[in-house]
Amino acid sequence: MSRDVKKVVLAYSGGLDTSVILKWLQTTYNCEVVTFTADLGQGEELEPARKKAELLGIKPENIFIEDVREEFVRDYVFPMFRANAVYEGQYLLGTSIARPLIAKKQIEIARKVGADAVSHGATGKGNDQVRFELAYYALEPEIKVIAPWREWDLTSRTRLLEFAETHQIPIAKDKRGEAPFSVDANLLHSSSEGKVLEDPADEAPEYVYQRTISPEAAPDVATTITIAFEKGDPIAIDGVALSPATLLAKLNELGKANGIGRLDLVENRFVGMKSRGIYETPGGSILLVAHRGIESITLDRGAAHLKDELMPRYAEMIYNGFWFAPEREMLQAAIDHSQHYVTGEVTLKLYKGNVSVIGRTSPYSLYNQDLVTFEEGAVAYDHRDAAGFIKLNALRLRTYGARARKAG
């Protein structure tokens, strides 16, 4: 393990773990540390991170705090939702999609300040270490990566707290005890894992939920909203145009109030183990249903079905950390091409944890009422044509059936 590092850019939250990492980098590598803190809509005040970094000896010019909410939603969340990406049939990839943006910003800062290394606070058991580091190497192939959790001997909460006290790192009172579970949050979702959640047989306590009220506590009256789309991206709610981050925040409010977006999932991590997590994605859950609603009238069947075939692979790429890989970019180009006519409005009913499409309209709709009506339509459609269509499709089945009868 080389200690030849002069300056490192650390993904820094200001919490206990990354504060310990900051001091550990200084003492172990004897290097200059630059901190980067991203406002991804996690709902926490970020200025304390600046003060804590200064307290730990970081020069003011080496402390970077950036509001990346609009970039996060516009350039990462929305492209992913154009694909209707869902990992293992349920997970809306809220943590996964944030990592490439953080990594990208770290690399940009490393170039700006002349750093030769980057560092993160992901553990050696999780997916995030893979996501961060694949992004680092894709963007800066020769960068040095320091992953403290894979190097140090601070393998317990007690050891972490001892290190913090030895190096005079402030510890919040609620951090002295064993944390009941760990939380990661951004504008798209919150995820909770570990401790009280580790046994998948036990129901998650209500206090775990951060972003939603329970469906049982939601109003007895449905909320109806209309979302406008343009080329696959949502642009307005109930006729009010909103920026990407503002729109997702509004959907989060609506989802929270109606108990929408809770998920209790046992998933397959890329590193090989199963893990149980509690995910809350209120706005994203609404957006997924709405996007599929507008696609239902604007996408051709072949394009729609091909998208659904490609989607699990695309979702797996994001989950596994391959956002900057050429195969993800290739798929994104195909997905974005499919969205050219995905424009219009979808009306939804939100009620006690459920999202239902109750109306959809588009200037580019492929839905033709004259074709599907049970009444006599204005468009020529000869019912007798179906007989030949069915016989041609049945030809191989009849041949197969005849062989089975002959053999049996």
Side-chain angles (χ1 to χ4, degrees):
M1 179 175 59
S2 172
R3 300 292 190 197
D4 185 23
V5 172
K6 296 179 177 64
K7 188 181 289 189
V8 57
V9 179
L10 169 66
Y12 182 65
S13 70
L16 175 63
D17 289 5
T18 53
S19 294
V20 168
I21 288 171
L22 191 163
K23 182 57 69 173
W24 181 86
L25 288 169
Q26 291 172 326
T27 57
T28 305
Y29 282 84
N30 194 28
C31 63
E32 191 173 4
V33 178
V34 177
T35 63
F36 169 62
T37 306
D39 183 355
L40 288 155
Q42 57 265 50
E44 295 175 354
E45 193 61 43
L46 297 187
E47 278 309 307
R50 183 190 304 278
K51 292 185 175 66
K52 201 163 185 181
E54 288 177 345
L55 186 67
L56 294 170
I58 306 301
K59 300 172 186 175
E61 65 268 25
N62 282 343
I63 299 172
F64 291 81
I65 297 177
E66 189 174 346
D67 184 343
V68 296
R69 287 175 292 179
E70 291 293 349
E71 182 180 358
F72 175 50
V73 181
R74 181 189 65 240
D75 297 341
Y76 294 82
V77 175
F78 280 4
M80 181 175 74
F81 273 80
R82 286 176 217 143
N84 302 320
V86 182
Y87 179 69
E88 296 191 335
Q90 298 181 82
Y91 174 40
L92 295 179
L93 298 163
T95 296
S96 316
I97 195 61
R99 298 325 188 204
L101 174 55
I102 296 171
K104 173 174 165 280
K105 293 294 181 183
Q106 283 182 266
I107 294 299
E108 287 175 357
I109 292 168
R111 290 171 181 158
K112 183 176 181 179
V113 303
D116 54 342
V118 288
S119 182
H120 60 77
T123 72
K125 281 189 175 182
N127 297 305
D128 279 341
Q129 57 180 338
V130 183
R131 295 167 183 151
F132 278 124
E133 294 176 38
L134 289 179
Y136 296 150
Y137 290 130
L139 298 171
E140 194 66 51
E142 302 306 317
I143 197 76
K144 295 172 185 173
V145 177
I146 304 173
W149 282 97
R150 299 202 302 259
E151 295 184 22
W152 67 18
D153 59 358
L154 306 178
T155 52
S156 69
R157 194 80 178 170
T158 303
R159 297 288 297 276
L160 275 177
L161 292 170
E162 286 174 354
F163 184 94
E165 287 175 344
T166 300
H167 294 277
Q168 297 180 310
I169 299 170
I171 305 169
K173 288 181 180 178
D174 63 341
K175 296 295 183 183
R176 289 193 173 274
E178 193 76 20
F181 54 90
S182 66
V183 179
D184 176 78
N186 57 51
L187 195 55
L188 180 57
H189 92 155
S190 71
S191 70
S192 303
E193 293 182 340
K195 303 304 177 187
V196 300
L197 301 174
E198 285 181 357
D199 188 342
D202 295 338
E203 181 178 3
E206 185 62 28
Y207 63 75
V208 169
Y209 293 95
Q210 317 274 315
R211 297 283 183 94
T212 56
I213 64 172
S214 71
E216 294 91 338
D220 293 330
V221 178
T223 301
T224 300
I225 63 169
T226 297
I227 302 177
F229 285 86
E230 185 175 296
K231 294 187 176 180
D233 291 342
I235 58 170
I237 299 175
D238 292 333
V240 179
L242 299 167
S243 72
T246 309
L247 187 142
L248 183 54
K250 179 64 176 175
L251 289 181
N252 280 337
E253 291 174 17
L254 291 161
K256 176 179 182 177
N258 287 279
I260 291 165
R262 291 188 172 190
L263 174 64
D264 184 332
L265 177 68
V266 174
E267 72 201 65
N268 290 293
R269 285 183 179 170
F270 190 25
V271 294
M273 69 189 75
K274 290 184 183 289
S275 68
R276 191 266 190 104
I278 299 297
Y279 297 118
E280 295 172 89
T281 320
S285 298
I286 297 170
L287 183 55
L288 178 66
V289 174
H291 186 254
R292 279 198 166 274
I294 192 63
E295 282 192 329
S296 71
I297 60 170
T298 55
L299 276 193
D300 167 74
R301 180 185 69 181
H305 289 190
L306 179 59
K307 269 193 77 211
D308 279 347
E309 290 175 30
L310 296 172
M311 183 277 285
R313 182 71 199 280
Y314 174 95
E316 189 175 77
M317 288 176 197
I318 294 174
Y319 185 84
N320 291 348
F322 290 91
W323 179 262
F324 294 112
E327 61 270 30
R328 200 283 307 176
E329 293 170 348
M330 286 170 60
L331 271 187
Q332 192 71 57
I335 288 159
D336 291 351
H337 181 77
S338 76
Q339 301 296 288
H340 188 71
Y341 293 109
V342 182
T343 294
E345 294 187 340
V346 178
T347 302
L348 306 135
K349 187 174 282 188
L350 316 178
Y351 183 68
K352 289 190 176 294
N354 296 296
V355 186
S356 305
V357 175
I358 59 173
R360 60 300 258 167
T361 180
S362 169
Y364 306 115
S365 177
L366 295 172
Y367 183 87
N368 190 324
Q369 194 167 341
D370 283 327
L371 266 176
V372 301
T373 181
F374 285 105
E375 304 301 322
E376 197 59 40
V379 179
Y381 181 88
D382 191 335
H383 291 258
R384 291 169 295 186
D385 290 345
F389 174 78
I390 294 167
K391 280 192 174 180
L392 283 174
N393 275 282
L395 179 59
R396 66 182 181 88
L397 301 179
R398 295 171 78 179
T399 303
Y400 181 76
R403 185 187 69 177
R405 285 189 65 184
K406 185 177 178 181

